[in-house]
Amino acid sequence: MNNISEGAESGISTDLVDLRDMPLSRVGSLADAGLLKRILPESPAKQVTVAAFQSSI
Amino acid sequence: MAGPAVPFRQFVLKVASRCDLACDHCYVYEHADQSWRARPKVMSDETIAWSASRIADHAKRHGLPGVTVVLHGGEPLLAGRHRLERISRELIRALDGVCALDLRIHTNGVLLDEAFCDLFAAHGVKIGISLDGDRVANDRHRLYADGRSSYDKVLRAIDLVRRRGPELYAGLLCTIDVANDPLAVYEALAALHPPRVDFLLPHATWDAPPPGPPGAYGDWLVRIFDRWLADGRMMKVRLFESALRTIGSETSLTESLGLEPSDLVVIETEGTYEQADSLKTSYDGAPATGFNVSDHSLDTVGLHPGIHGRQTGLAGLCAECRSCPVVSTCGGGLYAHRYRTGTGFANPSVYCADLMKLITHVQKAVTTMDRTAHTLPAADVAALAAGYGGVEAIAHLEAGQRSVRRALLAAIGNASPSMEAWRLLTEIDRETPAALDTVLGHPYVRVWAVKCLRGTADDGHLASIAATAALHAGVEASVRLPVRDGALHLPGLGLLRVGAVSGATVETEAGGFRVHADGLHHEVRLDEPGGPGEWSPVRHLSVNGLTVALEDVDLYRDCHQWPATQRLNDQEVERWSTLFSDAWALITRDHSAYAAGLAAGLRAVMPLKPAADGSEVSSTARDAFGAVAVAPPADAATLALLLIHEFQHVKLGALLDMVDLYDQDDTTLYYAPWRDDPRPIEGLLQGTYAHIAVTDFWRVRRQADDGPAAERASVQFARWRTQTAEAVETLAGSGALTGTGRRFVAAMGNSIRPWLAEPIPASAEEEARLAAARHRSRAAARVPHGA
Ligand code: SF4
Ligand code: SF4
């Protein structure tokens, strides 16, 4: 019988970073950039983005 | 070439060419380029009109969704209130109906008063202010020509802007001097609660290097970075955020880092176009393009080799930068800082050692963070692949959703100009994380978050989420909430009608909250289900220990293919309650393989409007984990089928958030037996997965029911077992599945294959065959289109 876990005895490792125990204040670009791309593949992050003028904020 | 490789989206208007301060680090007056001496003091009305019309033409021609215009100088407030008002009006008028306008002014602040603030508030102009840190730091450079300090005036200006809130307060810019104590500078800036700050390296080139040993600026920034990280990043720092984003393959937020192309053009006081004005530090005349607003379009300016050269990313860098290990974050630093007589800009930044130090330090901070991935136990994946999945499997999917929601929330919170809600959310996360989980677990919170990040919803709901989390935590908090459609929305709890106001202050406490809006006061106790007439709480469907929300109030629930109903009346709720109880009884009695999963993961039933033709209507949304949208069905058995069917999509959607089962780039469309139009691979996979459960449902019903109901079930079973098995074959042979996807689909096939051998009456078989044939010929007659 074909087994979904073939080659992975105990389980499969996913592509999703586990952020459950990371304090919310530290969640952000440090860990979620790849995750956001997964969830929002067509987000503005894919558009051509440009460098913002540094002498104003 | 017809225009710039990248259209211009940022326009810096030098509305005044002189300044009332005489900072000795100023790039306008104190560096190589001295062109300011020959310029008019302020921008003329004619130049303003030309500039606005050039920008509008350019936006139209390139279909830009929005542009940013920065009113700059010298000191732009020296242009005077009336002129700044004319400039703002002219820009707003020219871009009206063309694209969105993000209008900003960057000032030294010393002239800023209430009247200027009123003007900017009236025209939506955000104010950024320069401040180099505490008094000692600021007085090192930011002085009047006679040596007087500007510090007190700047602080008064910041106080004025702060009091107006994030609509006006854009943030602070700090130019670094390594003689200053970095932490004193950081603390002084943080005390002013800026929505965002940036630290600028003082302008320098290889011909005129910065004071201090190589690497000193990197060390200075690293000390602030560590403190900023330890403080929980409670203030947005553009340089650090850009470093983090580029390490995570996102885009930089500033031209001083990253490989993003430049889309900036400067319009000087007399109407000439210039390249980035930081080039003034390089050599006299360096920023000039030779073009001006009255004679040349912006597309013409885009052809200038200097502009074009800054749009070529990696290819535009020198060999040393191109082979540098941190180039994707550094990007060679700010263009102007690369200049050296002889080689021009084909050099690393004069701050190379500093950038390298900072970036490698940030990289190390990222890699030492705990970044484990979710794992899925083999037994649970096998149960899901077979079409089922119990409490454990759903718990693993839910765990993945929690990470997704936290990432989405943080992406919004970190970018939100209003820190109040974000601070409250991070506090609740620290003290009572279960309360935050409860509100984030409401299915339509993620729907809002995704819309917000895609730019189709605003971030005001963040405050509603924070207030709801505070209520779940039972803590006292005061939050300003947006009012939408005349109501305050507390996701998962309900809505409170407050009338035509734009916002209201909510004060939470254990068990309830008070609201103040424009002189009106409301009080809601959550334990009194009736509450005041303006309060519409979310009602629930409860049966045998299972409780799910009957969600007819959430602001973001209308995200399904079919429209949501309005608030249900009591009789309708009663009918839903009966239908749900009966459907649940049927599921637990006859379809128990699905009951545990549903009980563990179903959070909300969202009533849809009935279809005009009376057909059954139900739906799930990939972003609304745990919600099933359904129009009132004819009977409990139909509701049972729709819940089982739709929950398959909920499970598979959550699994797809965690693992890739198919090639995202596959563009083939496939025949799907349940749709008239061909489907992309994800649609086919979702439909097949759902139809395993549909087949199973009829398989059971044909034995559990009698008479015509059993006959109908036999026909449905006969049709769906064959067609679902065929769809499994289509998936398996698509060549578009990943390794895990192939194993998953094979396991789906293992569920359905034994059902093909189950005996059914020949008449049912024949009827099913005819229905399938009719569908196939209808589908074949249609011109394929994307789904
Ligand atoms: S306030 Fe700005 S423009 Fe004026 S001298 Fe200082 S740095 Fe230059
Ligand atoms: S400036 Fe230095 S650190 Fe930056 S990319 Fe070039 S070589 Fe690398």
Side-chain angles (χ1 to χ4, degrees):
Chain A
M1 182 169 138
N2 200 325
N3 188 340
I4 179 69
S5 61
E6 196 178 309
E9 290 296 304
S10 55
I12 60 171
S13 168
T14 75
D15 301 317
L16 197 66
V17 181
D18 190 344
L19 301 175
R20 285 174 298 164
D21 293 328
M22 184 183 285
L24 192 58
S25 57
R26 296 192 74 163
V27 178
S29 332
L30 285 175
D32 67 7
L35 191 156
L36 285 185
K37 274 211 188 104
R38 250 191 109 68
I39 306 302
L40 294 163
E42 72 281 31
S43 75
K46 266 215 165 172
Q47 293 168 12
V48 179
T49 45
V50 285
F53 181 46
Q54 73 145 11
S55 302
S56 82
I57 193 144
Chain B
M1 198 172 76
V6 174
F8 295 114
R9 270 176 276 204
Q10 299 179 81
F11 304 89
V12 177
L13 261 54
K14 297 284 185 174
V15 296
S17 65
R18 305 295 199 271
C19 189
D20 40 5
L21 292 185
C23 314
D24 60 6
H25 58 12
C26 177
Y27 65 79
V28 180
Y29 310 110
E30 303 294 334
H31 283 271
D33 182 275
Q34 290 292 307
S35 55
W36 63 274
R37 293 177 187 279
R39 297 214 149 96
K41 289 190 171 143
V42 290
M43 191 175 261
S44 71
D45 286 350
E46 194 191 348
T47 302
I48 293 165
W50 271 115
S51 303
S53 105
R54 293 291 185 196
I55 294 170
D57 286 349
H58 192 69
K60 238 182 264 171
R61 187 169 151 69
H62 293 277
L64 301 179
V67 295
T68 299
V69 179
V70 182
L71 309 180
H72 213 258
E75 171 46 44
L77 296 185
L78 288 177
R81 259 206 335 275
H82 298 302
R83 189 175 304 270
L84 287 170
E85 171 142 39
R86 291 202 297 281
I87 296 173
S88 308
R89 278 185 196 281
E90 186 62 21
L91 286 164
I92 292 167
R93 190 199 56 75
L95 290 163
D96 183 31
V98 175
C99 72
L101 169 64
D102 176 4
L103 188 53
R104 289 166 187 261
I105 189 163
H106 194 83
T107 169
N108 63 31
V110 298
L111 286 180
L112 196 78
D113 57 14
E114 292 281 8
F116 271 123
C117 287
D118 289 343
L119 162 71
F120 296 139
H123 293 93
V125 185
K126 291 197 165 204
I127 306 170
I129 296 178
S130 295
L131 178 73
D132 288 351
D134 55 357
R135 183 184 292 276
V136 177
N138 202 65
D139 285 354
R140 218 178 272 281
H141 301 287
R142 307 194 65 83
L143 303 170
Y144 284 92
D146 61 6
R148 271 179 306 135
S149 163
S150 65
Y151 184 74
D152 291 328
K153 287 194 169 160
V154 180
L155 243 61
R156 188 191 42 80
I158 293 170
D159 188 51
L160 272 183
V161 180
R162 249 181 89 182
R163 278 194 270 122
R164 302 285 186 123
E167 292 81 36
L168 219 57
Y169 191 12
L172 303 175
L173 274 189
C174 168
T175 301
I176 302 168
D177 186 325
V178 287
N180 295 325
D181 174 356
L183 298 186
V185 167
Y186 169 82
E187 279 161 13
L189 297 175
L192 299 169
H193 295 285
R196 173 165 272 159
V197 303
D198 202 5
F199 295 103
L200 305 184
L201 292 162
H203 285 309
T205 65
W206 289 103
D207 290 356
Y217 294 81
D219 290 336
W220 196 90
L221 283 165
V222 158
R223 289 197 55 205
I224 296 186
F225 176 83
D226 286 344
R227 170 67 183 277
W228 176 71
L229 212 55
D231 280 358
R233 301 161 62 193
M234 289 316 256
M235 169 171 81
K236 290 171 189 115
V237 179
R238 188 163 65 184
L239 183 70
F240 299 158
E241 284 177 276
S242 296
L244 290 168
R245 285 170 62 92
T246 48
I247 288 167
S249 307
E250 291 282 313
T251 52
S252 172
L253 303 171
T254 167
E255 58 178 335
S256 56
L257 282 184
L259 289 168
E260 277 73 35
S262 166
D263 69 346
L264 176 124
V265 68
V266 178
I267 302 177
E268 267 297 350
T269 322
E270 79 283 23
T272 53
Y273 293 112
E274 294 210 335
Q275 307 171 50
D277 61 350
S278 51
L279 292 175
K280 288 181 193 299
T281 54
S282 308
Y283 55 91
D284 198 14
T289 63
F291 301 121
N292 66 76
V293 281
S294 53
D295 298 324
H296 305 101
S297 73
L298 281 155
D299 274 2
T300 308
V301 186
L303 298 175
H304 186 276
I307 300 251
H308 193 62
R310 289 184 299 116
Q311 298 186 327
T312 49
L314 192 64
L317 299 182
C318 68
E320 194 177 334
C321 287
R322 283 202 307 272
S323 59
C324 170
V326 301
V327 69
S328 59
T329 292
C330 178
L334 190 73
Y335 192 73
H337 296 169
R338 300 175 206 162
Y339 184 75
R340 185 197 289 272
T341 303
T343 45
F345 295 95
N347 309 294
S349 168
V350 70
Y351 286 107
C352 179
D354 305 279
L355 293 165
M356 183 67 93
K357 247 186 192 161
L358 174 67
I359 294 165
T360 47
H361 184 82
V362 175
Q363 277 178 337
K364 214 184 292 155
V366 173
T367 47
T368 53
M369 295 199 69
D370 184 15
R371 299 184 73 196
T372 50
H374 286 270
T375 51
L376 289 166
D380 292 326
V381 183
L384 288 167
Y388 310 111
V391 176
E392 292 286 308
I394 301 299
H396 283 287
L397 297 179
E398 168 61 29
Q401 293 301 302
R402 281 177 65 198
S403 289
V404 169
R405 293 174 201 133
R406 291 171 76 78
L408 293 171
L409 194 74
I412 295 165
N414 282 322
S416 165
S418 160
M419 295 300 286
E420 179 197 38
W422 180 235
R423 282 214 181 91
L424 179 56
L425 283 164
T426 53
E427 269 168 38
I428 293 171
D429 179 58
R430 220 176 16 248
E431 304 298 330
T432 22
L436 181 64
D437 275 345
T438 303
V439 60
L440 296 189
H442 187 64
Y444 296 104
V445 166
R446 173 170 160 182
V447 172
W448 159 74
V450 166
K451 284 179 81 139
C452 184
L453 290 169
R454 287 194 176 130
T456 56
D458 66 43
D459 62 7
H461 205 51
L462 194 71
S464 306
I465 293 167
T468 311
L471 278 165
H472 286 302
V475 297
E476 289 181 15
S478 174
V479 201
R480 185 89 188 146
L481 259 59
V483 172
R484 303 276 187 260
D485 303 335
L488 293 174
H489 294 261
L490 299 175
L493 292 181
L495 65 78
L496 181 74
R497 304 220 166 272
V498 290
V501 291
S502 62
T505 301
V506 170
E507 290 170 0
T508 66
E509 59 187 20
F513 61 96
R514 282 183 301 279
V515 175
H516 311 284
D518 260 7
L520 292 172
H521 302 284
H522 304 267
E523 180 153 5
V524 175
R525 300 298 313 166
L526 296 174
D527 43 11
E528 291 167 15
E534 300 84 0
W535 173 240
S536 301
V538 172
R539 290 162 292 185
H540 293 87
L541 303 169
S542 293
V543 53
N544 293 342
L546 170 67
T547 298
V548 305
L550 181 62
E551 181 53 270
D552 59 358
V553 287
D554 192 278
L555 186 58
Y556 294 96
R557 73 189 188 284
D558 205 354
C559 62
H560 297 269
Q561 271 161 292
W562 288 279
T565 52
Q566 296 305 307
R567 176 83 166 163
L568 303 176
N569 63 32
D570 289 347
Q571 287 88 339
E572 289 166 325
V573 173
E574 193 52 45
R575 176 164 147 70
W576 270 105
S577 197
T578 308
L579 274 172
F580 187 74
S581 293
D582 294 349
W584 188 247
L586 195 75
I587 291 170
T588 47
R589 191 188 68 211
D590 296 341
H591 307 275
S592 58
Y594 300 93
L598 269 164
L602 183 66
R603 300 266 179 284
V605 170
M606 201 285 275
L608 294 169
K609 283 190 181 146
D613 64 0
S615 56
E616 299 298 346
V617 168
S618 64
S619 161
T620 43
R622 172 79 179 264
D623 291 320
F625 177 81
V628 169
V630 54
D635 51 44
T638 307
L639 181 58
L641 170 62
L642 296 178
L643 289 175
I644 288 171
H645 171 147
E646 295 299 344
F647 198 68
Q648 296 294 95
H649 294 307
V650 170
K651 289 185 288 187
L652 187 56
L655 185 69
L656 289 171
D657 284 343
M658 303 180 86
V659 285
D660 286 330
L661 297 182
Y662 59 88
D663 174 7
Q664 306 284 338
D665 295 327
D666 182 68
T667 53
T668 314
L669 296 176
Y670 303 87
Y671 170 72
W674 43 86
R675 291 272 297 225
D676 287 354
D677 53 341
R679 304 288 288 148
I681 188 84
E682 182 181 345
L684 182 67
L685 179 62
Q686 280 278 10
T688 311
Y689 189 67
H691 276 81
I692 291 177
V694 170
T695 309
D696 197 15
F697 179 86
W698 294 119
R699 174 177 159 268
V700 171
R701 293 262 50 92
R702 79 198 171 94
Q703 273 152 355
D705 294 339
D706 326 295
E711 281 165 30
R712 176 168 161 251
S714 287
V715 174
Q716 293 290 336
F717 173 59
R719 176 170 179 197
W720 292 122
R721 68 176 180 178
T722 313
Q723 297 218 298
T724 307
E726 281 172 16
V728 167
E729 294 307 316
T730 308
L731 284 167
S734 67
L737 299 177
T738 61
T740 309
R742 280 196 300 279
R743 292 191 288 278
F744 192 87
V745 167
M748 282 164 59
N750 290 339
S751 271
I752 201 140
R753 216 163 293 116
W755 300 339
L756 294 173
E758 290 188 15
I760 47 166
S763 58
E765 190 82 82
E766 178 58 11
E767 205 176 316
R769 196 189 60 73
L770 288 173
R774 273 198 302 276
H775 184 272
R776 215 173 239 291
S777 60
R778 209 167 53 231
R782 281 178 68 109
V783 179
H785 63 267

